[in-house]
Amino acid sequence: MTSHQAAVSAAVAVAESHGILVHEPVVLHDSFSLRIHLRPAPLVARVPTVTALGRPSPGDALAREAAVVSFLHAAGAPVVPPSDLLPPGPYVQDGVAVSFWAHVEHDPDHVITPDAAGRALAELHAVLRGFPGELPRLGPVLEEPARLLAALAGVCEPDVLGRLRDAHAELAARLSEVGEVQAVHGDAHPGNLLATPGGLLWNDFEETTAGPVGWDLVCLRRTTRLDGHAALRAYGVDPDDPALRVYGAARALQGTLWVLARAARSPQRWGPSARAALDSWLRDPQGR
């Protein structure tokens, strides 16, 4: 898995090969991927770290993200745009995948209301319906968890791993019957909305996929950052619609697998929160 030093070195090397001087690379975010501000340029590099565990080719996800966000930006949708200082990529430098985005000033302490979040998602979906490109059908929901389950062999207790595998198999069968799909964000919670001087901007489309809008709706409904039920009402749907239940269960499983994978990479930092997430899932695998 890519180390911090390798990630920063790769990002700096690609930027400087395009004539961009980097004096002070600063890690902005380190959780499932790494975001690095390549100061003094208004440029942010994204490098997959934990997410690489669930993806045979991490660069493919970065390419899909760049394609979807470029489309949205050209259509005037409120998104953090790809960089205009160099092509966004992705690039592979010394075995490390990296893409590039504009650095946007924002207020991390801004409180996003349920009404604002719901309306923002409805507006995003309206534009995404016109995306003309090919996207994998529920790839982050079906394919990536299967790879994470394989990576967690020997990390989780065998009986727990068996329960996780059985749940994924059942949900995969149910989700294979989903009808209408479109391009969706894939991880549409308020943490991926940045409050900027110009308004709220959607960020982090690394899990973008062809899927039902219900997937994004449960991502928003399950958030602990605001009242998700109120946000769905602002979107214009019934937050208790029974049709959303399968997506809620799939989101709960997906989230649990990712935090377990993150803890396997850094047990001291992420182990306690992963244990809590797993215990929560074992008590309620339906994600209620």
Side-chain angles (χ1 to χ4, degrees), residues 226-245:
L226 50 74
D227 183 340
H229 283 70
L232 263 61
R233 285 192 289 270
Y235 179 99
V237 297
D238 177 5
D240 297 312
D241 184 346
L244 297 177
R245 289 174 186 165

Side-chain angles (χ1 to χ4, degrees), residues 152-249:
L152 289 169
V155 177
C156 291
E157 298 92 336
D159 60 325
V160 170
L161 191 61
R163 287 187 62 178
L164 292 165
R165 283 177 171 155
D166 289 348
H168 178 256
E170 178 187 350
L171 288 166
R174 293 171 65 188
L175 290 169
S176 67
E177 301 172 357
V178 168
E180 184 177 353
V181 299
Q182 66 162 76
V184 296
H185 184 287
D187 195 20
H189 59 77
N192 285 330
L193 272 172
L194 301 187
T196 75
L200 296 178
L201 300 183
W202 284 104
N203 186 39
D204 190 359
F205 285 75
E206 203 173 333
E207 294 186 37
T208 191
T209 187
V213 295
W215 177 256
D216 277 355
L217 292 173
V218 299
C219 293
L220 180 56
R221 190 185 66 183
R222 284 177 53 82
T223 185
T224 59
R225 299 169 187 262
L226 50 74
D227 183 340
H229 283 70
L232 263 61
R233 285 192 289 270
Y235 179 99
V237 297
D238 177 5
D240 297 312
D241 184 346
L244 297 177
R245 289 174 186 165
V246 65
Y247 309 130

Side-chain angles (χ1 to χ4, degrees), residues 1-11 30-36 46-53 55 58-59 62 91-98 265-266:
M1 190 179 301
T2 303
S3 68
H4 280 200
Q5 183 176 355
V8 172
S9 296
D30 172 22
S31 181
F32 296 99
S33 62
L34 207 63
R35 291 201 288 271
I36 309 155
R46 179 193 293 278
V47 178
T49 51
V50 176
T51 55
L53 291 173
R55 296 166 186 165
L62 297 183
Y91 304 84
V92 178
Q93 174 72 32
D94 299 325
V96 177
V98 56
R265 174 180 181 245
S266 183

Side-chain angles (χ1 to χ4, degrees), residues 252 279-288:
D279 289 344
S280 177
W281 183 84
L282 290 170
R283 288 192 302 270
D284 177 24
Q286 297 306 309
R288 290 183 290 266

Side-chain angles (χ1 to χ4, degrees), residues 66-139:
V68 169
V69 177
S70 295
F71 163 80
L72 289 168
H73 182 55
V79 293
V80 175
S83 171
D84 60 1
L85 299 179
L86 75 169
Y91 304 84
V92 178
Q93 174 72 32
D94 299 325
V96 177
V98 56
S99 60
F100 293 95
W101 303 84
H103 180 263
V104 177
E105 296 293 342
H106 65 282
D107 177 7
D109 297 321
H110 178 84
V111 177
I112 297 173
T113 66
D115 189 57
R119 290 199 317 270
L121 185 56
E123 292 165 2
L124 179 69
H125 282 164
V127 184
L128 280 170
R129 288 187 195 104
F131 178 68
E134 293 284 335
L135 294 172
R137 185 184 176 95
L138 285 172

